[in-house]
Amino acid sequence: MAGNGETMGSGIGGKIFRGAAIVSACTLLAKLMGFVQKLVMAGEFGVGVAADAFTFAFGSILFSMIVIPQQLIAPFLPLFVEEKEKNGEDAAWAFASSVLLVLAGVVGVMVVVGMLGAEPIVRFVSRFESPEVVKSTVELVRMMFPAALFMAMFSLAALLMNAHKRFAIPALGDAMNKFVVVLAMVLMVRAMGIKSLAFGVLAGAVVCVILQVVGLRREIGRLRFRVDVTSGPFRKLLW
């Protein structure tokens, strides 16, 4: 009996150690790819107009569009786990379906408004005096804005993965995102210039979502295309 207990304990400990090692490796890889991205960007664009336009478009506008939905759905994970334990997997995924549809709808509208109103947004938020910089920033914002929708979906899918105790793929997402950005710059910079960087941001966000879908392929069939406004956890999340 003692031997079995020790074996079970060591097995669980081994899984935890391997999981922690994988997550740490993915986090380190993401930081490395971020460093490489900065090096490639500096080598290709330096500190000119193009670099200023991208830095502002991503750092001041798109970053907010990515972070805000992530913060709003932060309470989703404990609510999903609680619903799963109380009422089962199907009820938990019904809750997840409601959140997914509302999140996609809200962020989708924000993306459309942001793309249509990119120029007044840039002029209002920035202090650029050069028409050239403003024009370049507006173009980059319009190219990258759809990435906010994919990153919102990635954030929700990553929480679902964590709820099922799968941490490697969400951790790998950030590294893959940066890798795709670097790859797009290297392959497309001659043809697209700074827009290759914006294309990489969008493509990286799409790749992140695809990774999560692959990771959730066994459970994704439980999603339902309806919003249950009577759901207890859904009301809590809205509150």
Side-chain angles (χ1 to χ4, degrees):
M1 292 294 290
N4 290 337
E6 290 175 2
T7 302
M8 184 179 296
S10 61
I12 294 174
K15 288 182 179 180
I16 293 174
F17 176 79
R18 287 194 296 273
I22 291 172
V23 170
S24 297
C26 290
T27 301
L28 181 61
L29 180 60
K31 292 183 180 298
L32 177 61
M33 292 310 304
F35 178 70
V36 172
Q37 177 183 325
K38 290 178 181 178
L39 284 180
V40 175
M41 183 178 173
E44 294 290 349
F45 306 109
V47 291
V49 170
D52 289 343
F54 175 82
T55 300
F56 182 83
F58 182 85
S60 298
I61 298 178
L62 185 64
F63 184 75
S64 299
M65 277 289 296
I66 292 174
V67 169
I68 290 173
Q70 291 177 344
Q71 296 301 316
L72 291 176
I73 63 171
F76 171 82
L77 181 57
L79 290 172
F80 180 88
V81 173
E82 180 183 5
E83 183 71 0
K84 180 181 176 182
E85 292 175 350
K86 285 184 176 180
N87 300 310
E89 191 84 23
D90 287 339
W93 277 89
F95 163 54
S97 300
S98 298
V99 176
L100 174 64
L101 292 173
V102 171
L103 182 66
V106 171
V107 178
V109 169
M110 293 171 66
V111 167
V112 172
V113 171
M115 292 176 69
L116 294 176
E119 184 169 353
I121 290 173
V122 170
R123 291 187 182 279
F124 177 76
V125 177
S126 75
R127 295 182 179 179
F128 293 139
E129 296 180 358
S130 168
E132 181 184 359
V133 181
V134 172
K135 180 182 177 182
S136 181
T137 305
V138 169
E139 291 175 348
L140 294 173
V141 167
R142 285 176 175 157
M143 282 189 69
M144 292 189 292
F145 238 106
L149 177 59
F150 289 102
M151 290 309 295
M153 298 300 100
F154 164 71
S155 298
L156 182 60
L159 292 176
L160 285 167
M161 292 283 288
N162 291 338
H164 291 84
K165 296 180 172 56
R166 300 173 201 162
F167 305 104
I169 293 180
L172 182 62
D174 190 30
M176 284 300 299
N177 189 355
K178 291 181 172 61
F179 172 75
V180 171
V181 172
V182 172
L183 187 64
M185 271 196 291
V186 171
L187 296 180
M188 305 173 72
V189 66
R190 296 292 176 263
M192 297 180 66
I194 193 66
K195 290 181 180 179
S196 64
L197 196 51
F199 177 82
V201 171
L202 177 57
V206 174
V207 168
C208 283
V209 174
I210 292 173
L211 279 176
Q212 308 315 303
V213 171
V214 171
L216 290 168
R217 62 189 180 279
R218 289 178 293 179
E219 294 88 2
I220 208 164
R222 296 178 183 270
L223 285 172
R224 299 291 181 265
F225 291 97
R226 68 186 186 92
V227 177
D228 183 7
V229 295
T230 65
S231 167
F234 182 69
R235 288 183 175 183
K236 289 181 182 178
L237 184 64
L238 290 181
W239 180 251

